[in-house]
Amino acid sequence: MTKKIILDTDPGIDDAMAILFAEAHPDIELVALTTVFGNVTIENGTRNALYLKERFKMAADIAKGASQPLFRSPVGPTEVVHGTTGFGDFHVSDNVSGQLDPRPAYQYIIDTVKAHPHEITLVAVGPLTNLALALEAAPEIAQLVAQVVIMGGAFGENDHRGNVTPYAEANIHDDPHAADRVFCAPWPVTIIGLDVTEESFFSAYYLDQLRHDAADVGQFIFDISRYYLRFYSQKVGLDGCHVHDPSAIAYVIDPELFITRKGAVRVVCEGPASGMTIQKLDTRKYQTDEWSSMPAQDVAIGVDAAQLLDLYQKSLIDYAHKQ
Ligand code: RIB
Ligand code: CA
């Protein structure tokens, strides 16, 4: 059955890869992109979302979201990874046409979830500020979503603990208070963190092939990924890039690709470990215990990377041939 998703995103190179994956796959109806600060400013990210809608003739609504975290001081755009405007060397013109939804992202999320009770999957691949604001304004949406899928966090599986600090992943580090609220809310969350996203790689060869086989969409992914590959080669020492945000979409399409583990999840909100995600794995009730009263959430700890890469490639090639 087709799943309706709202994709909350900070576009972003791997965000664009995820957006196009969601647009391409027939099992997903991409209802909206809601934007959030993160990889780039909210202005640049929102312009990038409008550009994708225009270039790929997407039906999705675009709603502009939060420009800063709930409480912490902003970390600032990650230019070293995504370039100054978010798509690496590929610059979107200032004159992108296309209408934004008039509502702020959090209000768009509330209204859409209420209009389609139990049908909307919220997929968030940036800082969780918009989701936290939606929960604050309308806590009842927690009972009305189908599910929540997050790309973020790191739990130490497969030795993956952090990418912006030794113990924090970027999306959670950008707004730890928002993440803690989202993980503690009474809705079903699946967390696709570095534990699995750093186990899959788009190699330079894979992206070359996609450019060859997937027409305009393959060319676009090739163009935006040049800068990203240089970052990975120069700073991480890899001939390819991790598959962060597209992994959250892969989970929506085929959860069987992943192994998950249940337990309440909290986020460290202050100090040097700010942004660290910690899952409680035992059933003991401690004298001081700020996990046990929280809902058990699913954390991905294993992935079939080969099948995930095949799914992405096939989805984009099939989509390209239908255009
Ligand atoms: O840590 C990876 C995440 O941070 C991805 O969502 C990427 O787009 C950046 O936002
Ligand atoms: Ca992202």
Side-chain angles (χ1 to χ4, degrees):
M1 202 183 75
T2 310
K3 291 180 183 164
K4 291 184 198 303
I5 76 167
I6 295 176
L7 182 49
D8 193 72
T9 169
D10 56 337
I13 293 168
D14 61 319
D15 297 75
M17 293 169 166
I19 290 165
L20 293 169
F21 189 18
E23 176 69 6
H25 202 280
D27 292 355
I28 290 182
E29 178 188 342
L30 184 56
V31 174
L33 301 177
T34 52
T35 60
V36 64
F37 74 93
N39 292 323
V40 280
T41 63
I42 190 65
E43 283 74 25
N44 281 330
T46 306
R47 188 184 311 122
N48 290 346
L50 283 168
Y51 174 78
L52 292 175
K53 176 177 165 79
E54 182 179 78
R55 175 159 171 176
F56 295 101
K57 301 183 175 53
M58 293 164 50
D61 295 328
I62 314 279
K64 184 177 177 181
S67 61
Q68 58 181 32
L70 295 182
F71 303 118
R72 68 155 299 159
S73 51
V75 173
T78 39
E79 289 183 9
V80 64
V81 187
H82 296 270
T84 48
T85 55
F87 285 165
D89 307 315
F90 184 93
H91 291 286
V92 167
S93 117
D94 286 342
N95 304 320
V96 178
S97 61
Q99 284 289 313
L100 280 177
D101 190 276
R103 292 164 286 185
Y106 80 90
Q107 190 61 52
Y108 181 95
I109 291 170
I110 293 169
D111 293 348
T112 311
V113 167
K114 287 186 173 178
H116 302 278
H118 312 293
E119 284 185 34
I120 301 287
T121 294
L122 295 177
V123 184
V125 296
L128 297 176
T129 320
N130 291 333
L131 270 61
L133 290 170
L135 277 172
E136 186 177 28
E140 64 276 15
I141 63 167
Q143 273 77 44
L144 297 175
V145 298
Q147 61 173 338
V148 182
V149 179
I150 304 293
M151 188 281 128
F155 295 83
E157 271 311 293
N158 305 314
D159 267 348
H160 302 301
R161 286 176 287 271
N163 59 359
V164 287
T165 82
Y167 289 97
E169 180 279 330
N171 290 337
I172 308 302
H173 186 251
D174 269 342
D175 195 345
H177 299 89
D180 194 53
R181 290 178 181 194
V182 168
F183 297 155
C184 290
W187 54 10
V189 180
T190 300
I191 303 174
I192 306 292
L194 301 183
D195 313 78
V196 288
T197 68
E198 290 191 345
E199 291 290 305
S200 303
F201 302 90
F202 287 152
S203 67
Y205 177 73
Y206 179 98
L207 294 166
D208 285 350
Q209 289 300 113
L210 203 61
R211 176 200 202 188
H212 184 264
D213 297 335
D216 186 42
V217 70
Q219 181 67 50
F220 177 72
I221 290 170
F222 178 89
D223 290 341
I224 59 173
S225 59
R226 300 306 89 193
Y227 187 97
Y228 207 44
L229 290 187
R230 278 204 302 282
F231 163 78
Y232 271 92
S233 155
Q234 289 165 9
K235 306 279 182 197
V236 190
L238 282 177
D239 173 34
C241 56
H242 294 135
V243 184
H244 292 307
D245 294 350
S247 292
I249 303 298
Y251 178 81
V252 175
I253 298 166
D254 186 1
E256 299 292 312
L257 294 175
F258 296 85
I259 299 165
T260 59
R261 171 179 86 186
K262 269 208 181 302
V265 174
R266 301 301 309 258
V267 181
V268 178
C269 289
E270 306 292 340
S274 175
M276 183 178 183
T277 45
I278 308 172
Q279 187 178 36
K280 181 170 186 272
L281 297 175
D282 62 76
T283 51
R284 186 171 148 195
K285 180 87 172 71
Y286 296 80
Q287 194 176 351
T288 302
D289 186 340
E290 296 190 33
W291 274 260
S292 290
S293 59
M294 304 302 171
Q297 309 293 15
D298 287 310
V299 169
I301 54 168
V303 60
D304 185 332
Q307 277 205 48
L308 186 150
L309 294 182
D310 284 351
L311 175 66
Y312 189 86
Q313 185 182 48
K314 182 174 182 327
S315 306
L316 273 286
I317 292 173
D318 289 352
Y319 167 75
H321 289 156
K322 277 191 223 130
Q323 299 309 298

